[in-house]
Amino acid sequence: MGVAELPSGTVTFMFTDLEGSTRLWEEHPDAMQPALARHDELVRAAIDAYDGYVVKATGDGFHAAFATAQHAVSAAVRAQQALAEETWVGTGALRVRMGVHTGSAEQRDGDYFGPALNRAARLMGVAHGGQVVVSQATADLARDALPGDVQLTDLGEHRLRDLSRPEHVYQVNGPGMVREFASLTSVDAFPGNLPLQVSSFIGRERELGRIADALNEARVVTLTGVGGVGKTRLAYQAAADALPQFREGAWLCELAAVRDAEGVADAAAAVFGLTARAGQTVEEALVEFFGTKQLLLVIDNCEHLLEPVAELVENIERSCAGIVVLATSREGLAVDGERVVPVPSLPGPPADAPLDDIARCESVRLFVDRARGIDPDFALSAQNAADVVQVCRRLDGVPLAIELAAARVNAMNPRELARGLDRRFETLAGGRRRAVQRHQTLRATIDWSYDLLSEPEQRLLARLAVFAGGCTRDAAQAVCAGDPIEADRVFELLAGLVSRSLVVAERESAETRYRLLETIREYGEDRLAECGETDASRRRHAEYFTQFAGTISGVIAGPQQIEAARRLAAEDENMLAAENYAVDVDDVDLALRLVRNTPASTLQTGFVTSVPVEPLLGLPGAPEHPLYPYALAIAAIQAAARGEGSAARARGRDALEAAGRLEPDDRLLVQMMVSNVHSMVAYAAGDLHTAAEHVRRATEIARERGQRAFIAVSLGSGAMYHAMAGEDDTAVALATEGLAVARQLDMPTAIAICLTALAGAVADSEPERARALLRESLELEARLEYEAWAEITQTALISARLGDWPQTLDLASRAIRYLHWTGERPLVAAMLNVAARALADTEAEAAVVIQGAAYTFATPPTSASAPADVVPPLSDAPQPRAASFVTTLRRETTGHLRERLGQQRFDELRAEGRGMDGDAAVAYVLDAITRAQRRGA
């Protein structure tokens, strides 16, 4: 029997939802009404059986509250069992998803609100029909009290779509319940880079609904509003809510640090790791990449670059049907088809509102939530409610202003806060407080917070504005110390700014980063200019990151390579800001020292950080500078990486000519770099022998200069080229020597590439040794959480040569996801054929479909299909052994499958695969691989 009143205190919330209800109503309109009524009876009976309280019915689901976690979990189990046992006439089985979370209850007028409620709803949102998932809090409370036949399965940590802290999620399993489900549809299940948020998301249900509607109706949606009104946070949340609509997820492009029109396309390309091919602009490369994608592109902080952003967005809108843009700006982009959604301030309660209404008001909820973050004992009460309302109203409901005020509750009570704001606004508005505009209100609030700081805190806040993309504690100390800030007090002052919500501390990475919100950063820039410190601070910033790059170069060729490369990648925006300063002041020495100190791209991992060199070559005095030949060589390497072979060769020639004036050792360094340029260009053209010859020359020079890291990398690259060409003896010699050097240095990427090259060279003659080499390489990469996609693809091919089908499937699935994402169609075709062979013995019909689907990628979409059993080169750089192996493998697999299934069935399945588009083909093969892996496990 249900309880008579709502539980209070610590409450366990359960949310349920009927999966696919819209589709069911469309397909079975007559049967759904009685079916849904029966669904309601069964779920409500389960809730009542464990003394639950039905807070509300939501049409095709329930929101219930329980006094104990055990009762909530038991009710969910009973409801799922009853739904599974029911005979559903005319609709098929009704599948209901359920989420359960325990937390402090916030209750008004027979209803609940607050973070615990939202958490339970988000948990339900990531589950599948028939599944019950619970939070860590619920699992801890319920585990020991559940019956023996009910278990909790650990599903690991997941980022729910409220984007706050990750939640450890458990699945409830009981008799008669389905146990196998697809992965949870949490943020982690989708590609993308939406950042984790350090604070909870409060309110904005109305705006989220409007944005959701706009995203369903328009390809370009722009959120507009004054700075500090919460456009960015709202955009992140709307993007997270919309994730299931976008196959390739949601991706954030942040423009706050971009200062010129040309940087807009570069910033977007950097998000996806894109570079332009020869003859392409970066914008053209983006449009080509987006052509096959279905994703949400969030472009944040557009107001200072409206024209170039609008041009890029219009191009994407015209050419890329699967891309939807969600932008934030202080005004619209003015592009065709744009839907502008104004973001208002948070509403405040009427002056005479009762306490219950005040507590539900969004601006008050935000104040209370942020105040509790500073003082856990803070609570809204009859004694302070009027003062809290006054604070929120004085701040016009601007979220940033409210957060800044709430951060002061550890030093002032709400009445003192309200009085302080009152005096500030009277001064600014000449006594006419109601005339204060929202942007003046925000500025006044920041002014007020700023004035409450000590002089050292004020100066630190201003100096922090020179950082782009945040900074570490060490960087803040190096750049910001100096009168009136003592070096040993920087961290103490920084912590104070964090506690006052003026600086955001991002603790997710190994090293905490400190960042200013864009509105605060702009304010800090103004204050820095008022102090007359802008140039001096920018110079200290640029000098620091020039030295930082040199420090990273000193450790990146050893055991700390992965960590060092990640530290460097985290400072990409700061490196670019340092270069921009050098260009702005025509400081060619600083600019070229920054280039020289940045580690070579061959030693970096993951996202490669590089200082664009071309803008620096025209600085006054550049041709006469001692580092100019080195800069030319770097420009040649960057051109080769972009696929601009002619430009790379030309810059290489310039570098060699300019190096004639250098000392012998420096001249050799430039020659080594240019040899690598020629190797890159030759490999891209498919000339493995020429590529290997240039690598050999680079290795010789590295030996002369004693650069052991470059020796290891060059030997590994040369070995890989020779192994691809089938020249095993040469590959073994080079890889063996390179591996020895790499092990002495304990340099992970060099070890991995040499292990892979050596495995490829001995796979036919010494298969057991090859297996051991691959196993060591994969274990190394897994331990360091390091992935090099070229090596994964090669490792998948070598595993197939060894007949290690479980490992082949694991590697092929990873490679297929990445290669399809980046548009490497020939390589996807090769991996599909490899996967088909790996599945042939256990998933014969699926293997035939996959072989047919490989044709989708084997030829351009507009060209005729390739002849039977012809496999194109694996990439723009043909790899004779790999291409020959895949062709032979495909033919052998075809013969085996045709004999096993018969010609008619074989032809039917092959035609089914050839009729798939690229996305469907990839989804099909990944699903087949997952089934095979589960069966194997």
Side-chain angles (χ1 to χ4, degrees):
M1 185 172 66
V3 295
E5 59 184 30
L6 275 73
S8 59
T10 299
V11 175
T12 300
F13 298 106
M14 180 175 78
F15 278 78
T16 79
D17 176 64
L18 175 60
E19 186 177 67
S21 60
T22 301
R23 175 184 56 80
L24 289 169
W25 276 106
E26 291 174 351
E27 295 177 357
H28 313 288
D30 295 333
M32 269 300 288
Q33 187 167 352
L36 191 59
R38 181 57 177 156
H39 155 277
D40 291 353
E41 291 176 9
L42 296 174
V43 176
R44 189 181 289 272
I47 293 170
D48 289 345
Y50 289 94
D51 295 332
Y53 187 99
V54 175
V55 181
K56 64 179 67 173
T58 59
D60 50 13
F62 287 93
H63 163 209
F66 296 82
T68 71
Q70 174 201 355
H71 282 176
V73 174
S74 297
V77 170
R78 176 172 292 193
Q80 292 287 16
Q81 291 170 334
L83 291 165
E85 292 168 359
E86 184 72 13
T87 301
W88 300 99
V89 179
T91 61
L94 299 189
R95 295 169 57 83
V96 177
R97 54 183 179 168
M98 302 181 182
V100 183
H101 174 62
T102 306
S104 297
E106 297 182 58
Q107 156 187 168
R108 303 288 179 198
D109 293 340
D111 199 358
Y112 294 99
F113 63 93
L117 195 73
N118 298 336
R119 205 72 173 165
R122 295 291 181 188
L123 273 166
M124 180 200 71
V126 303
H128 300 279
Q131 188 176 30
V132 178
V133 295
V134 304
S135 66
Q136 180 77 64
T138 300
D140 289 343
L141 291 169
R143 181 181 284 110
D144 294 336
L146 293 174
D149 56 358
V150 176
Q151 299 90 31
L152 300 178
T153 300
D154 190 342
L155 299 183
E157 280 199 341
H158 291 265
R159 292 173 61 197
L160 305 182
R161 290 202 289 273
D162 55 10
L163 294 178
S164 57
R165 61 176 174 80
E167 179 65 67
H168 209 116
V169 182
Y170 295 82
Q171 177 179 304
V172 180
N173 296 314
M177 295 173 63
V178 178
R179 291 174 178 264
E180 294 292 332
F181 296 94
S183 299
L184 298 180
T185 60
S186 60
V187 173
D188 310 277
F190 299 90
N193 66 342
L194 293 179
L196 188 68
Q197 297 300 293
V198 296
S199 58
S200 56
F201 185 76
I202 303 294
R204 295 292 197 191
E205 287 83 3
R206 184 186 309 104
E207 286 77 17
L208 285 172
R210 290 173 179 169
I211 297 169
D213 291 342
L215 290 173
N216 287 327
E217 297 167 2
R219 297 267 313 288
V220 179
V221 178
T222 304
L223 310 188
T224 62
V226 66
V229 81
K231 300 184 297 295
T232 294
R233 186 67 174 89
L234 182 58
Y236 291 174
Q237 189 57 56
D241 288 345
L243 271 175
Q245 301 171 226
F246 298 96
R247 184 182 59 239
E248 275 92 18
W251 295 81
L252 170 65
C253 174
E254 170 59 68
L255 297 182
V258 178
R259 289 293 175 260
D260 57 85
E262 292 74 19
V264 172
D266 291 337
V271 170
F272 302 97
L274 292 181
T275 55
R277 295 197 311 271
Q280 263 190 330
T281 65
V282 174
E283 186 165 324
E284 288 168 345
L286 267 172
V287 170
E288 179 183 70
F289 175 77
F290 285 152
T292 60
K293 300 295 184 288
Q294 184 183 1
L295 59 82
L296 178 65
L297 179 63
V298 182
I299 308 179
D300 193 23
N301 290 308
C302 302
E303 50 273 345
H304 61 302
L305 295 162
L306 283 176
E307 187 172 338
V309 172
E311 290 176 359
L312 176 62
V313 169
E314 280 185 320
N315 198 358
I316 293 172
E317 187 181 20
R318 286 194 306 267
S319 307
C320 311
I323 307 300
V324 175
V325 174
L326 176 61
T328 73
S329 177
R330 296 188 186 181
E331 58 183 292
L333 301 181
V335 300
D336 289 342
E338 177 186 26
R339 179 72 63 84
V340 174
V341 179
V343 179
S345 297
L346 295 175
D352 56 350
L355 183 61
D356 286 354
D357 290 345
I358 292 173
R360 279 196 294 267
C361 171
E362 290 183 9
S363 58
V364 173
R365 286 168 55 194
L366 178 64
F367 181 94
V368 172
D369 180 82
R370 300 305 188 253
R372 284 177 178 169
I374 302 297
D375 177 7
D377 295 327
F378 182 86
L380 186 72
S381 66
Q383 289 70 39
N384 65 20
D387 296 315
V388 171
V389 169
Q390 187 180 21
V391 169
C392 294
R393 294 180 67 192
R394 286 281 186 269
L395 297 178
D396 286 333
V398 177
L400 177 58
I402 291 172
E403 293 190 14
L404 292 175
R408 283 284 171 183
V409 297
N410 61 342
M412 308 170 102
N413 62 41
R415 178 159 298 178
E416 291 168 322
L417 282 172
R419 287 173 179 169
L421 289 173
D422 194 33
R423 287 195 298 272
R424 164 65 66 183
F425 291 167
E426 283 180 353
T427 300
L428 290 178
R432 295 180 298 109
R433 289 193 292 269
R434 292 188 181 276
V436 178
Q437 299 298 309
R438 286 196 170 106
H439 70 276
Q440 295 173 314
T441 299
L442 179 60
R443 173 77 188 204
T445 307
I446 302 175
D447 278 337
W448 176 71
S449 294
Y450 183 83
D451 289 344
L452 292 173
L453 302 176
S454 66
E455 184 183 0
E457 288 174 322
Q458 291 177 343
R459 199 65 61 86
L460 177 59
L461 181 68
R463 291 173 183 174
L464 287 170
V466 300
F467 290 100
C471 65
T472 62
R473 172 179 174 177
D474 289 344
Q477 183 166 330
V479 174
C480 300
D483 186 48
I485 303 173
E486 299 174 11
D488 59 0
R489 289 200 64 213
V490 169
F491 180 66
E492 172 193 342
L493 298 171
L494 188 61
L497 295 178
V498 171
S499 70
R500 292 169 175 81
S501 297
L502 289 165
V503 173
V504 177
E506 299 174 332
R507 304 180 182 87
E508 291 72 45
S509 57
E511 192 172 16
T512 300
R513 293 187 67 79
Y514 300 91
R515 177 177 59 84
L516 299 179
L517 296 175
E518 180 60 13
T519 303
I520 302 295
R521 193 188 65 77
E522 291 176 0
Y523 180 91
E525 285 181 334
D526 292 343
R527 288 293 191 174
L528 196 63
E530 291 172 8
C531 297
E533 291 190 351
T534 299
D535 185 75
S537 294
R538 289 187 70 193
R539 174 163 289 279
R540 293 187 69 176
H541 172 275
E543 289 286 0
Y544 171 80
F545 282 102
T546 299
Q547 182 181 1
F548 167 82
T551 301
I552 293 295
S553 291
V555 298
I556 204 168
Q560 302 304 313
Q561 181 186 22
I562 305 298
E563 178 189 348
R566 287 174 180 158
R567 287 178 60 199
L568 182 65
E571 304 297 356
D572 189 64
E573 291 183 39
N574 279 314
M575 296 283 286
L576 185 59
E579 180 189 22
N580 287 340
Y581 171 75
V583 172
D584 289 345
V585 298
D586 287 336
D587 191 334
V588 68
D589 180 69
L590 175 60
L592 296 187
R593 282 192 289 115
L594 180 63
V595 171
R596 179 65 180 87
N597 284 3
T598 302
S601 59
T602 52
L603 302 182
Q604 297 184 46
T605 60
F607 179 75
V608 176
T609 295
S610 62
V611 178
V613 176
E614 284 293 339
L616 310 180
L617 299 178
L619 288 176
E624 293 75 39
H625 196 280
L627 292 176
Y628 185 67
Y630 180 89
L632 286 169
I634 291 292
I637 290 174
Q638 292 179 354
R642 295 192 299 267
E644 300 171 3
S646 297
R649 285 191 293 267
R651 282 302 187 199
R653 287 192 298 270
D654 294 342
L656 292 176
E657 181 179 347
R661 66 175 188 250
L662 299 178
E663 294 297 322
D665 188 62
D666 292 333
R667 186 163 60 249
L668 282 173
L669 173 60
V670 173
Q671 291 171 359
M672 182 183 76
M673 296 168 67
V674 173
S675 292
N676 281 323
V677 170
H678 289 309
S679 173
M680 295 167 68
V681 173
Y683 177 68
D687 189 346
L688 292 174
H689 290 285
T690 300
E693 180 59 27
H694 285 297
V695 168
R696 183 190 62 77
R697 174 59 182 150
T699 307
E700 290 175 353
I701 299 174
R703 291 186 201 279
E704 287 187 60
R705 303 186 74 248
Q707 292 183 299
R708 301 174 70 216
F710 287 95
I711 293 171
V713 172
S714 296
L715 287 169
S717 299
M720 190 71 78
Y721 294 157
H722 285 290
M724 289 175 181
E727 298 165 354
D728 290 338
D729 291 343
T730 304
V732 167
L734 294 175
T736 301
E737 182 186 358
L739 185 58
V741 177
R743 289 195 194 282
Q744 290 170 1
L745 295 171
D746 196 12
M747 185 174 162
T749 60
I751 293 172
I753 191 172
C754 289
L755 287 169
T756 302
L758 189 54
V762 303
D764 297 334
S765 59
E766 301 177 74
E768 288 306 316
R769 182 185 177 196
R771 288 189 179 91
L773 291 165
L774 287 188
R775 184 165 55 251
E776 182 182 354
S777 177
L778 292 169
E779 288 174 354
L780 173 66
E781 293 178 6
R783 185 169 68 253
L784 297 174
E785 298 181 350
Y786 152 67
E787 284 189 328
W789 293 106
E791 288 166 32
I792 288 177
T793 304
Q794 289 296 328
T795 306
L797 290 167
I798 297 167
S799 297
R801 286 169 58 197
L802 294 169
D804 188 340
W805 303 125
Q807 182 168 284
T808 300
L809 286 176
D810 177 59
L811 294 166
S813 67
R814 291 154 64 188
I816 288 167
R817 290 177 194 274
Y818 176 77
L819 296 168
H820 179 51
W821 172 255
T822 56
E824 297 284 348
R825 296 174 61 86
L827 275 171
V828 176
M831 287 295 101
L832 290 180
N833 281 307
V834 167
R837 172 59 190 91
L839 293 166
D841 296 332
T842 58
E843 295 268 353
E845 292 199 346
V848 180
V849 174
I850 292 166
Q851 276 196 327
Y855 285 114
T856 302
F857 296 94
T859 55
T862 57
S863 67
S865 298
D869 297 329
V870 172
V871 180
L874 290 179
S875 71
D876 292 338
Q879 302 158 21
R881 166 177 272 168
S884 174
F885 169 72
V886 174
T887 299
T888 301
L889 187 73
R890 178 183 175 89
R891 286 173 177 162
E892 292 175 353
T893 306
T894 296
H896 169 72
L897 293 171
R898 184 181 286 122
E899 180 179 349
R900 179 172 175 181
L901 298 173
Q903 186 66 51
Q904 181 178 349
R905 183 58 177 157
F906 178 89
D907 290 344
E908 292 171 352
L909 294 168
R910 178 72 71 89
E912 178 183 342
R914 293 184 71 160
M916 291 180 174
D917 63 23
D919 294 328
V922 168
Y924 184 92
V925 68
L926 293 178
D927 184 58
I929 290 174
T930 300
R931 289 198 308 271
Q933 289 173 327
R934 284 177 175 168
R935 187 162 50 250

